[in-house]
Amino acid sequence: MPPVFVSNRPHFVYEKPVFRLHVKEPMTKLENPVLMATIGGAQGLRGEVRAKAYTADPSALGDYGLLHSTDGRSFEILEIREMKNVVVVRFRGINDRNAAEALNGLELYIERDNLPDEELEDDEFYYADLEGLEALDDKGVSYGTVTGVFDFGAGDLLELKGPGKRPVLIPFSEASVLEIDLEAGTLLIDPLAAGLVDDPELSQFTADKPKKKK
């Protein structure tokens, strides 16, 4: 019987199951992401985090299914409770403070189709639907498109960006935004109320005002 030679050197061994363990699962990529929350610091030792929710009811953050980060991770909310101006959330798989602290600053999204349109009133809109709308006055003059919606504490603001122009912020109010046509992709705005043009009467008054003597 001929001798049998057995080599135990790793580079002679090829086992497919071993290499399959290193293949990552496909990342979740949203086609039309809507920002739902931003994670803050850790809360306690059980893996809970504080989060800023952008839903009308902060405690309803978990009612829209899985939340997704831009790096492809998905998060399932197990528990949520309100605390002052934030919510405290416990995610599946986040079980200690170190894991919770690693999420600080992470933004979480859902797919736009997961938002219930039937719950909106006639004068209510999702911020995600406003982005990309062109801002026009009653003469058809364009002042750019909506590139963001912000709230710094004094009311909602729309960011407009036109070709070759710097972004500007206008109030998202009934005085500034007269009409929203999602089908046409436009906003009808009052550029004077929005602060995009000067009041000619005020400018005339300022020009005619006598200068003080030195």
Side-chain angles (χ1 to χ4, degrees):
M1 181 175 179
V4 177
F5 296 95
V6 179
S7 174
N8 292 323
R9 287 181 294 178
H11 60 275
F12 283 113
V13 178
Y14 180 71
E15 303 212 11
K16 291 184 178 180
V18 173
F19 291 100
R20 285 174 183 165
L21 293 176
H22 298 283
V23 177
K24 295 182 179 180
E25 293 295 328
M27 290 188 176
T28 301
K29 184 176 181 180
L30 304 182
E31 295 183 0
N32 190 7
V34 176
L35 179 63
M36 299 297 286
T38 302
I39 299 178
Q43 177 72 23
L45 304 175
R46 297 193 309 134
E48 292 181 319
V49 296
R50 297 185 296 274
K52 172 66 175 177
Y54 302 114
T55 53
D57 177 8
S59 63
L61 182 62
D63 295 348
Y64 302 93
L66 295 178
L67 302 173
H68 306 276
S69 59
T70 55
D71 59 9
R73 287 179 289 171
S74 299
F75 296 83
E76 178 184 357
I77 293 179
L78 298 181
E79 297 178 6
I80 185 170
R81 68 180 189 276
E82 293 189 52
M83 187 184 75
K84 295 183 179 180
N85 297 324
V86 298
V87 289
V88 176
V89 180
R90 186 167 72 88
F91 294 110
R92 183 179 299 278
I94 307 298
N95 300 317
D96 57 55
R97 188 174 181 85
N98 289 338
E101 289 177 344
L103 301 180
N104 193 359
L106 194 68
E107 294 182 333
L108 299 178
Y109 300 79
I110 65 169
E111 187 65 67
R112 167 63 182 86
D113 291 342
N114 289 354
L115 294 174
D117 291 324
E118 64 274 5
E119 295 183 5
L120 292 175
E121 301 291 340
D122 291 338
D123 59 347
E124 290 182 332
F125 302 89
Y126 290 121
Y127 285 170
D129 293 339
L130 300 177
E131 296 186 15
L133 299 184
E134 185 178 13
L136 305 171
D137 65 13
D138 57 358
K139 297 181 177 62
V141 176
S142 176
Y143 290 84
T145 59
V146 179
T147 54
V149 185
F150 305 97
D151 182 1
F152 301 114
D156 294 330
L157 299 171
L158 299 182
E159 180 185 66
L160 303 182
K161 179 69 168 65
K165 298 180 181 179
R166 293 182 178 181
V168 295
L169 297 174
I170 68 170
F172 186 32
S173 63
E174 293 183 356
S176 299
V177 180
L178 307 178
E179 184 179 310
I180 299 174
D181 190 338
L182 296 179
E183 292 185 2
T186 60
L187 295 174
L188 177 61
I189 66 171
D190 182 337
L192 180 59
L196 297 174
V197 297
D198 295 328
D199 187 338
E201 295 183 2
L202 182 60
S203 299
Q204 181 66 32
F205 174 78
T206 303
D208 295 341
K209 186 176 180 180
K211 298 180 179 179
K212 292 183 179 180
K213 294 182 179 180
K214 295 184 179 179

